[in-house]
Amino acid sequence: MSDTEDLGFTPNEMMTIAASRALKNDDVCFVGIGAPSAACNVARLTHAPDITLIYESGTIGTAPDVLPLSIGDGELCETAVTTVAVPEMFRYWLQGGRISIGFLGAAQLDKFGNINTTVIGDYAHPKTRLPGGGGAPEIATSSREVYITMAQSKRGMVEKIDFFTSFGHGEGGDHRKRLGIDTAGPTLLITDLAVWKPDPVTKEFTVVSVHPGVTREQLQATCGWTVKFVEALDETPAPTELELKTLRDLQARTKAAHAGTAKGKAA
């Protein structure tokens, strides 16, 4: 836990807003559920109103009023410009090179941006069985760039992932190129403590910006590998009043909508 709550915002709010800032108005973004979805929709509601948000279920140009519970949430289809079949989504849009940013989360992540969302522990006898890859393996290799967002912990940011779900930079260096993958791969990691970018040569994630109130010691204490920092280390700008209001209003609408859905099912 950092001291950002004393500054008027939480670490998760800082993470979401920092992630949203990375998106541009002309991006075509393949959106993961959870933290990536929150970041993408804050961007859409603030500085990037023309961003095209695409979800795995086939919804294109969606503009949800509340955050979806899953890719099958009706809110996505109802607010989309159009909805296409899943094979068309993957073959024409994703594998056709039309996605500028794939925005993913991770249960486990290593320093080269490789993602595990399949299982914690041994595959045959797991401690925890996770939802799986879904479309993330294809997003990780076919999007022009990949952004990752997750809260830092030694359990989540590990030296070696337990299962290889989505390919980042593999063993580092030119591993993607040697496998014939011609997209950039993970180019940005946004956590609740910092912003990271891959080293140009080794491809190891390196801290480029520390969030307000966060120390280097906190970063190392919540990461399973030895953290590296760029020489000209920046401090992430604090959230603006507009960014915070937009995120909090979105979360409040989402909570109210989902609470109503739960009550309806219980009745």
Side-chain angles (χ1 to χ4, degrees):
M1 174 66 69
S2 75
D3 297 325
T4 52
E5 290 188 33
D6 296 332
L7 300 175
F9 52 89
T10 68
N12 277 341
E13 287 175 334
M14 182 72 260
M15 175 176 70
T16 301
I17 289 168
S20 75
R21 292 170 178 166
L23 295 165
K24 304 184 297 295
N25 196 49
D26 60 352
D27 272 328
V28 178
C29 187
F30 209 125
V31 188
I33 294 298
S37 184
C40 290
N41 280 286
V42 168
R44 177 181 61 82
L45 293 167
T46 53
H47 66 278
D50 298 323
I51 191 171
T52 302
L53 301 185
I54 294 178
Y55 287 78
E56 192 177 329
S57 51
T59 56
I60 299 174
T62 189
D65 188 54
V66 300
L67 295 175
L69 287 171
S70 72
I71 60 169
D73 198 310
E75 177 78 9
L76 296 176
C77 189
E78 289 169 4
T79 63
V81 173
T82 189
T83 301
V84 300
V86 171
E88 179 181 334
M89 171 60 64
F90 279 86
R91 182 66 189 95
Y92 178 82
W93 287 88
L94 181 59
Q95 294 172 338
R98 293 170 173 83
I99 306 297
S100 60
I101 304 293
F103 217 135
L104 299 173
Q108 277 188 336
L109 180 78
D110 70 17
K111 62 185 175 182
F112 296 120
N114 302 304
I115 293 173
N116 171 25
T117 53
T118 301
V119 66
I120 301 299
D122 179 71
Y123 186 82
H125 305 284
K127 295 178 182 177
T128 306
R129 203 169 281 286
L130 302 168
E138 289 78 15
I139 295 169
T141 54
S142 296
S143 300
R144 291 178 217 159
E145 297 181 62
V146 174
Y147 294 169
I148 303 167
T149 186
M150 64 184 297
Q152 282 197 215
S153 71
K154 282 195 171 181
R155 183 174 62 178
M157 296 174 68
V158 296
E159 185 69 34
K160 183 178 180 180
I161 56 178
D162 292 340
F163 189 90
F164 219 110
T165 308
S166 302
F167 195 86
H169 293 289
E171 299 169 356
D174 65 348
H175 198 180
R176 286 178 73 90
K177 184 177 181 180
R178 285 188 280 120
L179 292 177
I181 305 171
D182 58 5
T183 50
T187 57
L188 194 66
L189 166 64
I190 310 99
T191 73
D192 52 343
L193 302 182
V195 177
W196 311 56
K197 290 184 178 180
D199 179 88
V201 177
T202 68
K203 300 303 181 183
E204 179 178 342
F205 271 127
T206 304
V207 177
V208 299
S209 179
V210 177
H211 298 337
V214 175
T215 66
R216 292 184 182 224
E217 291 74 20
Q218 284 175 303
L219 279 162
Q220 186 59 75
T222 53
C223 184
W225 65 80
T226 300
V227 178
K228 295 182 179 179
F229 301 84
V230 295
E231 288 187 14
L233 188 64
D234 288 330
E235 180 175 274
T236 311
T240 66
E241 184 178 345
L242 173 62
E243 289 171 329
L244 274 177
K245 185 178 187 307
T246 301
L247 173 58
R248 289 171 179 174
D249 286 351
L250 177 61
Q251 290 174 330
R253 291 196 303 273
T254 300
K255 183 178 181 180
H258 293 167
T261 299
K263 287 179 182 178
K265 289 180 178 179

